[in-house]
Amino acid sequence: GKLAMPSATQTQAEKRKLEEAEVPVGPKPPKAYKNGEFLNSNSARLIRVMCELQEPGQRLDNQGVDNIVMFFGSARAKPRAQYEEALRQAEARVQSAPDDAGTRAALERVKKQAFLVPMFDVTTELARRLTEWSQRRAAEGRASYAVGTGAGPGMMEAANKGAWLAKGPSVGFGISLPFEDRL
């Protein structure tokens, strides 16, 4: 069979029909930066990491925080009164169930934390002194420093307490961990 060629009038008519027809509008997906499904996907992990750097940076800028001295240490550390209460409770549990290996192990874990008790006080004092030193620098027009921590309990709490005692700033940089409930 022969293929029939369209006549010039047919081609013109078809052309006019196409020109007059409304172009169909396809689906309108959300902007990538507003697409929650995308932003929570593995492909967007780098974007989420960048947000975790940029957004706190903007908050620090807005608060006038330029310099931070970070304090690191055990989240398990306790001030003396809390440690002594935890020790008393663990000893009482062992007394009431002396054959329970779990309660004996828990008591040993508490006892192993004893060395941290004086460090809690030292950390509080160091953060207080740092904050007071920084305030004197700021009064002279020099760069000041804020106390920075992981925003958790233990040594981080001690450092934040020291800054608070000196009426100065502290910054908590927290992460979400399944076994920590403070953030």
Side-chain angles (χ1 to χ4, degrees), residues 62-167:
N62 291 344
Q63 294 294 317
V65 176
D66 293 321
N67 302 297
I68 297 172
V69 175
M70 290 299 295
F71 283 73
F72 295 91
S74 174
R76 309 291 178 264
K78 295 173 177 50
R80 183 164 309 283
Q82 284 181 18
Y83 172 78
E84 289 173 353
E85 178 60 21
L87 181 61
R88 187 192 62 70
Q89 289 177 5
E91 288 171 340
R93 284 192 286 277
V94 168
Q95 291 257 332
S96 66
D99 297 330
D100 184 342
T103 57
R104 287 195 318 273
L107 173 60
E108 289 308 309
R109 280 193 302 276
V110 171
K111 286 181 177 180
K112 286 180 181 179
Q113 295 172 7
F115 80 98
L116 293 171
V117 172
M119 298 303 124
F120 189 96
D121 295 334
V122 167
T123 301
T124 301
E125 180 62 14
L126 177 60
R128 184 189 64 75
R129 287 182 181 191
L130 169 77
T131 303
E132 290 172 348
W133 169 79
S134 177
Q135 290 166 336
R136 287 190 302 274
R137 288 178 56 86
E140 298 168 356
R142 297 167 64 197
S144 62
Y145 295 82
V147 167
T149 72
M155 294 303 183
M156 296 166 280
E157 179 183 350
N160 287 327
K161 180 180 178 183
W164 178 79
L165 289 171
K167 296 178 176 61

Side-chain angles (χ1 to χ4, degrees), residues 52-64:
E52 292 298 327
L53 296 171
Q54 292 299 120
E55 191 273 344
Q58 182 181 13
R59 264 192 283 153
L60 292 171
D61 285 346
N62 291 344
Q63 294 294 317

